Amino acid sequence: MVFAAGIGSRLKPYTDFHPKALVPVGGMPALQRTLLKLKDACVNEVVVNVHHFGCQIREFLHDNDNFGLDVRISDETELLLDTGGGLLKAASLLEDGTNEPILLHNADIITDFPISDMQVEHERTGTDVSLLVANRESSRQLYFSQDMGLKGWCNLTTGKKCPENCCLNRLLPMAFGGVHIISPTLFPVLRKYANDVVGTHAPFSIIPFYLWSMGKLSIKGHVPPMAYRWFDVGTPEKLALADKAFCV
C-alpha cells in the first residue's frame, strides 16, 4: 500500500493545484518512483489511497497504465483518515485470505534501500510488523531493545513519552523511515484499536496504534546493513535535497 492521500500543506504553492504524491523528484513524480521501486522488489499488487486532488492521481496512473502493476484505489475523498485510518479503510482491498506480508510505503519518502532484504528479514523472524528505522536525528524517536523489539516512543521537544512509565536509558533510539511491512495478523488488532480507542471510521496515525499494540503484536525495527539514500520530501528544503540526489 502506498499512502498518497496527504495534503502537503508545507509544499505550497505546488499543492494548491496538485497532490503531494505527484511532486517531481529528480524529474520524476514521487509516486512513480515509489511504484517502480515496489515493482523492482517483485510487488505486483498495490493499493494507493487518495484524497487531495485524487482525480489527478487516478489520471496519472491511468495514463501510465499503472506502470504495469495491478493498482487499486482506496478513496478517502470525503475524509482524510491518516495512516492508521487509511490502512483500516483499505483492509478489504489488502486482505486476500493468504498470510502474505503487506508492504506500506509513504509516497513522500524517497529512498533506495533494498526492500527485498527487509522482506526476507520480516519473514525469517515471523514478526507481525517490521519498521524501517535509522539512527537519524528526529524530534520524535522510537525506542528499541537490543533485539530491536519496539518498547516505546518519545517526543524529544516536549518530553512526552509512551508508555509514560517507560525507562528509555538502556533502549536504542531510532527514527522511523516511513516504510513498514505488516502481516495480516495485524488487522484484527487494528480493528479493535479503532473500535475501542479512537472510534470507528475516525482518522488516526499508525504509530500510536503500534505503541498501543506492543503487548499484542511482535513489532521490530529493521536497520539496513548497507548505506542508502533516504529523503522525506515534505518541505521545499528537503525536496531540494532529494531532487539533487535523485536527479535523472
Side-chain angles (χ1 to χ4, degrees):
M1 179 174 180
V2 178
F3 293 107
I7 293 173
S9 57
R10 295 178 297 171
L11 283 178
K12 290 176 177 288
Y14 178 84
T15 49
D16 285 332
F17 306 98
H18 308 282
K20 178 173 66 170
L22 294 187
V23 66
V25 181
M28 183 184 297
L31 178 59
Q32 180 177 349
R33 286 191 176 276
T34 300
L35 292 175
L36 292 179
K37 179 176 175 58
L38 299 184
K39 188 175 181 179
D40 286 344
C42 297
V43 174
N44 299 310
E45 299 173 325
V46 180
V47 173
V48 177
N49 70 342
V50 298
H51 171 78
H52 186 60
F53 290 109
C55 59
Q56 291 188 29
I57 292 179
R58 291 177 184 271
E59 291 171 2
F60 174 73
L61 293 170
H62 178 268
D63 291 347
N64 289 279
D65 196 27
N66 292 332
F67 300 98
L69 297 165
D70 176 2
V71 177
R72 288 158 287 175
I73 298 295
S74 182
D75 195 334
E76 298 178 24
T77 300
E78 294 185 2
L79 179 63
L80 183 61
L81 294 170
D82 208 335
T83 47
L87 175 61
L88 182 61
K89 180 178 175 63
S92 61
L93 299 173
L94 295 165
E95 294 178 291
D96 59 2
T98 71
N99 198 38
E100 290 294 313
I102 300 163
L103 181 85
L104 310 177
H105 200 303
N106 291 4
D108 59 358
I109 296 299
I110 305 300
T111 178
D112 59 3
F113 87 98
I115 288 178
S116 57
D117 289 354
M118 187 176 179
Q119 292 172 316
V120 169
E121 182 69 9
H122 178 84
E123 296 184 28
R124 183 188 69 80
T125 59
T127 191
D128 297 304
V129 180
S130 298
L131 307 172
L132 175 68
V133 295
N135 185 8
R136 170 172 48 83
E137 286 190 15
S138 174
S139 61
R140 292 170 291 182
Q141 296 277 339
L142 295 171
Y143 285 80
F144 296 86
S145 59
Q146 292 297 322
D147 65 353
M148 293 308 293
L150 179 64
K151 297 299 180 182
W153 169 92
C154 184
N155 184 321
L156 301 182
T157 303
T158 65
K160 181 179 179 181
K161 296 191 299 182
C162 183
E164 291 183 0
N165 61 351
C166 181
C167 181
L168 306 178
N169 294 341
R170 297 185 179 182
L171 298 175
L172 303 173
M174 293 280 177
F176 177 48
V179 181
H180 22 163
I181 298 177
I182 64 171
S183 295
T185 49
L186 172 141
F187 286 114
V189 185
L190 184 67
R191 293 187 177 98
K192 181 172 177 57
Y193 177 81
N195 292 332
D196 296 352
V197 179
V198 298
T200 307
H201 308 305
F204 64 94
S205 172
I206 202 163
I207 292 298
F209 161 69
Y210 285 153
L211 295 166
W212 177 85
S213 62
M214 284 189 298
K216 306 171 181 65
L217 297 171
S218 170
I219 305 175
K220 290 186 174 291
H222 173 75
V223 180
M226 60 191 71
Y228 62 96
R229 295 178 294 177
W230 182 95
F231 295 92
D232 170 359
V233 297
T235 68
E237 296 78 15
K238 294 175 181 177
L239 174 60
L241 293 173
D243 195 63
K244 182 177 181 180
F246 283 87
C247 185
V248 294

